[in-house]
Amino acid sequence: MDRTFLNARSPLRVLEKGLHGGLGAGNLGVVVAGHGVGKTSFLVGVALDDLLRGHDVLHVALDQTVSHVRAYYDTVFDDLASSTHLEDIARVHADVDRHRRIRAYPPAAFDTAKLREAVKLEAEAGANPSLIVLEGCDLAAAGRDELAALKALAGELQAEVWLSVVNDGQRHDLPGAVGDLGDLMSVVLALEPESGHVALRVLKDHENPDVSELHVALDPKSLLLVRS
């Protein structure tokens, strides 16, 4: 199976249609889910979607080590490759590694200035990420000014920035700090466990007041679209 098959099964393909083009460069996107539902798997899947198309990705972890994040990518990639019978696995894996950058910081030592510095260093090494994944960010602790600075940086870089937030149990509204800072976010998605699959629901779609009812079912292991 060619790598384009994996791109076709990414939930981003549905979101690009339902969200008027998806997240879009210069915007912040947030995925909300309870513990263990699949926030990391979803974000890795978002990153792999770009990596499989030859785009540079920067993954910043504030709660895990570089080796742990790398191992997670390897696990998700291996699962995808084996389940879809991907052709030329070694070459595709090498391409993914070449375009992916991983950096880890203690949460208290990270801010947008550190991210700007990291992007500058990556650019000097020849990498210009079109996607930045920021995992483990405490939105409430970061505050409005920091999130506004992050959005401004996304605009300067013309990169998509995805973050993850732990759900506090709400299923129908923007939870906690997401609601307070929702005006700075363009897209907010929720992952909700259902019988035999994970449901992907849209909580915010840019400035569209009528949020699309996307009935998207994801495989609970790979977080790819369930085959119809």
Side-chain angles (χ1 to χ4, degrees):
M1 192 74 65
D2 185 78
R3 69 174 73 186
T4 56
F5 180 75
L6 295 181
N7 291 116
R9 286 190 62 205
S10 169
L12 296 181
R13 298 294 79 75
V14 175
L15 294 176
E16 286 168 354
K17 296 178 181 179
L19 297 177
H20 308 93
L23 178 57
N27 294 318
L28 304 185
V30 178
V31 57
V32 179
H35 290 289
V37 175
K39 294 185 300 300
T40 299
S41 292
F42 183 84
L43 290 175
V44 169
V46 169
L48 283 172
D49 185 68
D50 262 31
L51 291 166
L52 288 167
R53 289 182 290 170
H55 298 167
D56 293 331
V57 171
L58 174 61
H59 190 123
V60 177
L62 305 184
D63 54 359
Q64 301 182 59
T65 64
V66 170
S67 60
H68 185 90
V69 175
R70 184 181 296 113
Y72 208 102
Y73 270 88
D74 289 344
T75 298
V76 173
F77 178 86
D78 290 344
D79 286 343
L80 296 180
S82 61
S83 65
T84 57
H85 306 292
L86 181 67
E87 297 173 355
D88 204 356
I89 293 176
R91 181 174 61 81
V92 175
H93 192 282
D95 288 343
V96 166
D97 284 347
R98 185 170 65 256
H99 288 284
R100 183 199 61 216
R101 303 293 191 276
I102 302 172
R103 289 179 177 266
Y105 300 86
F110 180 82
D111 57 18
T112 302
K114 288 281 179 57
L115 180 58
R116 183 184 296 277
E117 179 183 348
V119 171
K120 179 181 178 181
L121 292 173
E122 296 299 347
E124 290 173 353
N128 295 288
S130 60
L131 171 67
I132 297 173
V133 172
L134 182 53
E135 188 178 7
C137 180
D138 185 338
L139 294 182
R144 172 169 293 275
D145 289 347
E146 187 63 26
L147 197 64
L150 181 62
K151 182 175 177 63
L153 179 59
E156 291 175 28
L157 300 173
Q158 280 299 286
E160 295 185 352
V161 177
W162 280 96
L163 305 91
S164 62
V165 172
V166 176
N167 197 349
D168 56 10
Q170 302 179 65
R171 290 175 63 93
H172 303 292
D173 299 301
L174 300 180
V178 176
D180 297 334
L181 303 171
D183 58 301
L184 294 173
M185 304 165 190
S186 298
V187 172
V188 181
L189 308 175
L191 299 176
E192 298 172 349
E194 302 288 352
S195 178
H197 69 275
V198 173
L200 176 64
R201 191 162 58 86
V202 179
L203 301 182
K204 183 178 181 182
D205 172 10
H206 296 274
E207 302 307 318
N208 180 12
D210 299 318
V211 179
S212 300
E213 284 294 329
L214 294 178
H215 301 285
V216 181
L218 306 181
D219 184 284
K221 185 176 182 181
S222 68
L223 271 292
L224 289 176
L225 293 170
V226 174
R227 294 184 180 86
S228 58

